[in-house]
Amino acid sequence: MYQFESRVRYSETDSRGKLTPEGIMEYFEDCTTFQSEDIGLGVQYLKECQRVWVLSFVQIGINRYPSLGERIVIQTIPYDIKGFLGYRNFVLRTPEDEVLAYANTMWTYLDTSIGRPVKAPDSMAEAYGLSERYPMEYAPRKIAMPENPAAFEEIVVKPHHLDTNDHVNNVEYVRMARELTQKDGRIVRGLRVEYKQSALLGDVIHPVGAADAGGAGMVFSLNNEEGKPYAVVELEYGEA
């Protein structure tokens, strides 16, 4: 397990003074990045090797949103590497060990020179230090799109959406989906995202969405102009 400590900043909070779902995702993203940097397998190393870990799937459960100024501990647990796939959990806790949020993720190891998955070196498992996976309910990777989704206003990819790989950052797809329904005031208690392809600067994203079968959430497909998804986002709503 790898961890770092932080404190919820004003710039990370919403109108309720709480950390946002995107803020939770960004803390998890920072945690895995910090671990990679600390063991010498970070952004610059991967660029020199023409390799990159691309997030393929994320599932997050949220028990409670921490408030402005609250101290938090962010942990990551790499638990398996199989071929070109890597798996890791995340946990957001208080210093008193209250679990605020948790996640399961799946990553794909790509050769950027050919744009295809390649086997991760065996040394990576030793470097990251694999552990037992976190005890949680593991949802399927595939997200079913409800029938007859409605179309939403298109989104043009701007520079602020991009990460160091010049792709739309993983968190931005969730932010886009949330902004489509934020006005109804519902609170996200869980989410899944299935990442299909990378959107680039200037691409036009065509969102469609519909309520899930149980009516407790929404599923959005953020598509390209041909109707093929960049990402499919499922938001589960609950009480504040």
Side-chain angles (χ1 to χ4, degrees), residues 140-239:
R141 174 190 174 188
K142 297 296 182 181
I143 302 173
M145 190 68 205
E147 294 182 358
N148 303 316
F152 290 81
E153 184 176 355
E154 65 185 31
I155 302 165
V156 179
V157 175
K158 301 292 180 63
H160 70 267
H161 293 126
L162 306 181
D163 58 22
T164 55
N165 299 311
D166 290 326
H167 300 157
V168 170
N169 183 268
N170 303 315
V171 180
E172 293 297 329
Y173 295 104
V174 174
R175 183 173 282 114
M176 290 173 188
R178 276 227 309 142
E179 287 177 350
L180 298 174
T181 59
Q182 244 175 357
K183 293 180 181 179
D184 61 19
R186 290 184 290 180
I187 305 300
V188 174
R189 284 300 176 194
L191 61 88
R192 285 190 298 159
V193 187
E194 185 182 358
Y195 296 95
K196 301 279 198 174
Q197 60 178 320
S198 298
L200 307 175
L201 182 65
D203 284 346
V204 179
I205 297 175
H206 300 263
V208 297
D212 63 19
M218 291 282 294
V219 180
F220 296 93
S221 187
L222 305 177
N223 300 334
N224 64 15
E225 294 181 347
E226 288 74 43
K228 296 180 179 180
Y230 293 110
V232 181
V233 181
E234 177 187 66
L235 303 177
E236 177 187 346
Y237 301 111
E239 298 297 322

Side-chain angles (χ1 to χ4, degrees), residues 39-119:
I39 65 175
L41 300 176
V43 172
Q44 189 57 39
Y45 167 83
L46 291 173
K47 280 190 174 182
E48 292 172 357
C49 296
Q50 294 185 300
R51 298 290 189 271
V52 66
W53 281 106
V54 176
L55 186 60
S56 300
F57 171 77
V58 59
Q59 172 197 356
I60 298 179
I62 302 169
N63 296 328
R64 177 173 73 81
Y65 287 95
S67 301
L68 169 64
E70 191 168 350
R71 299 188 184 279
I72 52 177
V73 180
I74 305 92
Q75 301 171 321
T76 186
I77 308 165
Y79 66 85
D80 202 4
I81 296 178
K82 293 180 179 178
F84 57 79
L85 296 177
Y87 302 83
R88 64 168 65 228
N89 296 125
F90 295 90
V91 183
L92 179 67
R93 302 179 183 270
T94 66
E96 296 75 31
D97 217 26
E98 175 192 356
V99 175
L100 303 172
Y102 52 89
N104 181 48
T105 59
M106 184 176 76
W107 305 73
T108 301
Y109 194 61
L110 294 180
D111 181 331
T112 57
S113 68
I114 59 175
R116 296 181 63 84
V118 292
K119 184 181 183 297

